[in-house]
């Protein structure tokens, strides 16, 4: 007699969980697994919705975008929880989104990477607009050849490490005349290649720590002083059209992003985490757009 009752109870519980899931109380957001440790370091015990200062330990662009995602959803009317799902590649996350297995990427993606999947993905308003993504050219601290490469001519003699799926990074490196590029799928492996001397440089956003160092595990890279690089394109959150929560999430984000912009929170967040870095405003842009004045306001 008990067995049918237990089965009935389990069925009811399963239906309730399904209803809760479809009610939108929880959103699963896929993100590269190497970002999560820094996110947890940055957040600590705090409520991400309440954060109003975006600097400090763990703060970097990818981490801050997870915080901005949750704040935008909240301001847009979504009052549930965001659960991070660790993944190990950019393409894997795009595949999950287009298949409808997860509703959203926690990190922004490039417009050109989203565009081929427009039938399957919504694209939110840009948080990083065209011309705003300014990166440092990073090397190991004892690579004097790279540290002295402050012109395109000198830069063209270097080797680089990147991910061949990061099209704007690769385009920016090639705009510097760098043709010898070694590729890896994972960010930590790219950093290791530069630290080990298998490549001279890689591109990375400027960091908020005093020396603007990139720090991954026990590895460190430093920016070549005095120079910076513009990456082409804008960055957006891709949202799955196939996922049951996709339309709800997209609608909330569009509203929330507009409110964040009105309050100047996006600009302030990127400044405080070091992405829009005050210290590099006067640094030379090595690849300015043709026939245009190099952007300086947010660098």
């Amino acid at each position: 007699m008990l067995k049918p009752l237990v089965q009935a109870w389990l069925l009811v519980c399963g239906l309730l969980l399904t209803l809760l899931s479809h009610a939108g109380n929880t959103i699963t957001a896929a993100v590269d697994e190497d970002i999560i440790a820094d996110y947890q370091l940055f957040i600590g015990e705090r409520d991400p919705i309440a954060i109003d200062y975006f600097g400090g330990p763990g703060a970097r662009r990818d981490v801050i975008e997870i915080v901005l995602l949750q704040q935008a959803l909240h301001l847009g009317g979504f009052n549930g929880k965001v659960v991070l799902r660790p993944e190990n590649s950019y393409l894997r996350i795009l595949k999950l989104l287009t298949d409808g297995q997860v509703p959203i990427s926690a990190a922004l993606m490039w417009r050109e990477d989203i565009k081929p999947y427009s039938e399957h993905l919504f694209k939110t308003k840009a948080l990083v607009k065209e011309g705003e993504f300014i990166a440092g050219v990073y090397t190991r601290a004892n690579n004097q050849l790279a540290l002295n490469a402050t012109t395109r001519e000198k830069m063209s003699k270097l080797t680089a490490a990147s991910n061949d799926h990061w099209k704007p990074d690769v385009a920016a490196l090639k705009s510097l005349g760098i043709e010898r590029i070694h590729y890896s799928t994972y960010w930590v492996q790219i950093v290791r290649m530069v630290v080990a001397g298998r490549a001279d440089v890689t591109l990375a956003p400027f960091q908020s720590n005093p020396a603007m160092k990139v720090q991954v595990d026990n590895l460190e890279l430093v920016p070549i002083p005095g120079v910076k690089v513009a990456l082409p394109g804008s960055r957006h959150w891709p949202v799955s059209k196939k996922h049951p929560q996709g339309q709800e999430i997209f609608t909330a984000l569009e509203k929330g992003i507009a409110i964040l912009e009105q309050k100047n929170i996006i600009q302030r967040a990127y400044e405080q985490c070091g992405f829009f870095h005050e210290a590099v405003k006067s640094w030379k842009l090595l690849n300015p757009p043709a026939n245009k004045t190099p952007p300086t306001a947010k660098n």
Side-chain angles (χ1 to χ4, degrees):
M1 186 71 182
L2 285 175
K3 189 173 181 181
L5 288 173
V6 171
Q7 289 175 335
W9 174 246
L10 289 174
L11 178 61
V12 169
C13 288
L15 289 171
L16 285 172
L17 286 171
T18 301
L19 288 171
L20 285 172
S21 173
H22 286 283
N25 291 324
T26 299
I27 287 175
T28 299
V31 64
D32 284 347
E33 56 191 1
D34 71 279
I35 299 172
I36 293 177
D38 277 344
Y39 173 75
Q40 291 170 340
L41 173 63
F42 176 73
I43 291 292
E45 299 298 320
R46 296 180 296 171
D47 178 359
I49 303 302
I51 287 173
D52 61 2
Y53 175 68
F54 300 88
R60 57 178 170 122
R61 177 186 55 81
D62 315 77
V63 166
I64 297 311
E65 286 168 1
I66 299 175
V67 178
L68 291 175
L69 170 67
Q70 293 171 87
Q71 294 192 358
L73 284 166
H74 178 73
L75 291 169
F78 176 80
N79 296 313
K81 181 180 179 183
V82 174
V83 176
L84 300 179
R85 169 173 169 163
E87 293 295 337
N88 60 12
S89 87
Y90 193 77
L91 280 186
R92 165 72 176 163
I93 293 173
L94 271 173
K95 173 70 172 169
L96 291 171
L97 291 169
T98 55
D99 288 349
Q101 294 184 56
V102 295
I104 189 168
S105 164
L108 301 178
M109 290 189 173
W110 292 103
R111 177 189 62 222
E112 290 303 310
D113 293 335
I114 300 171
K115 188 176 179 180
Y117 305 99
S118 57
E119 182 181 347
H120 307 290
L121 299 177
F122 297 110
K123 172 172 63 63
T124 68
K125 292 178 64 176
L127 272 77
V128 181
K129 300 176 178 63
E130 183 74 47
E132 288 186 338
F133 200 112
I134 303 298
V137 186
Y138 276 80
T139 187
R140 61 191 183 280
N142 62 351
N143 187 336
Q144 205 58 49
L145 179 67
L147 291 171
N148 290 333
T150 55
T151 66
R152 289 183 76 256
E153 182 182 4
K154 291 180 179 178
M155 196 70 67
S156 67
K157 298 174 182 177
L158 303 179
T159 60
S162 190
N163 183 327
D164 59 354
H165 299 305
W166 300 346
K167 296 181 182 68
D169 289 65
V170 175
L173 288 167
K174 290 186 175 180
S175 76
L176 302 178
I178 298 176
E179 293 296 336
R180 292 174 296 166
I181 304 174
H182 304 288
Y183 296 110
S184 179
T185 303
Y186 308 113
W187 171 237
V188 66
Q189 291 179 353
I190 292 169
V191 174
R192 283 175 183 153
M193 289 170 71
V194 178
V195 170
R198 299 203 304 275
D200 292 307
V201 297
T202 191
L203 299 180
F206 291 104
Q207 306 296 300
S208 60
N209 59 72
M212 294 183 281
K213 293 180 179 179
V214 164
Q215 297 169 315
V216 180
D217 296 335
N218 295 319
L219 309 172
E220 284 190 352
L221 298 177
V222 298
I224 297 175
V227 296
K228 58 190 178 184
V229 178
L231 273 64
S234 55
R235 289 177 66 83
H236 314 251
W237 277 305
V239 182
S240 175
K241 290 181 179 179
K242 286 189 174 182
H243 194 278
Q245 293 173 292
Q247 182 65 63
E248 176 193 6
I249 291 170
F250 177 69
T251 301
L253 281 176
E254 289 291 88
K255 181 179 178 181
I257 292 169
I259 296 170
L260 288 174
E261 286 181 333
Q262 290 167 10
K263 295 183 176 183
N264 202 41
I265 291 173
I266 297 171
Q267 171 78 16
R268 181 162 53 83
Y270 280 143
E271 288 174 352
Q272 290 174 349
C273 77
F275 178 48
F276 292 163
H277 210 300
E278 183 73 19
V280 305
K281 268 190 176 181
S282 62
W283 287 18
K284 180 182 178 182
L285 187 65
L286 290 176
N287 61 341
N291 303 319
K292 291 184 181 179
T293 302
T296 57
K298 297 180 181 179
N299 301 353

